[in-house]
Amino acid sequence: MTEIVIDKKKYVLIPAKDYKTLQKKASLKSKPEKTLSVDEARAYSKKLIKKWAAEK
């Protein structure tokens, strides 16, 4: 690991292999977004359309 200072900001250089492992660890910790079923998506979109129409 190497530290570099550019314009009073510190940057860290790491090997690509270590970077990939860090990305994998971070992706495992994040929760995937919930996907809606077709019926849920229709109901949600109708709700948003009605909300937007009421604002106008």
Side-chain angles (χ1 to χ4, degrees):
M1 183 168 59
T2 308
E3 286 188 12
I4 299 175
V5 178
I6 301 173
D7 295 331
K8 298 181 182 178
K9 293 182 182 179
K10 285 187 178 181
Y11 297 92
V12 180
L13 295 176
I14 58 172
K17 183 179 179 181
D18 294 341
Y19 180 70
K20 293 289 184 186
T21 56
L22 285 174
Q23 277 186 323
K24 285 181 183 178
K25 285 182 184 179
S27 66
L28 291 174
K29 289 183 181 179
S30 67
K31 295 180 182 177
E33 290 186 21
K34 180 185 173 193
T35 55
L36 300 175
S37 69
V38 174
D39 293 333
E40 291 172 332
R42 282 189 183 132
Y44 182 69
S45 62
K46 285 180 183 180
K47 178 182 167 186
L48 288 179
I49 291 169
K50 287 177 184 177
K51 180 181 173 185
W52 290 328
E55 290 176 356
K56 292 186 175 188

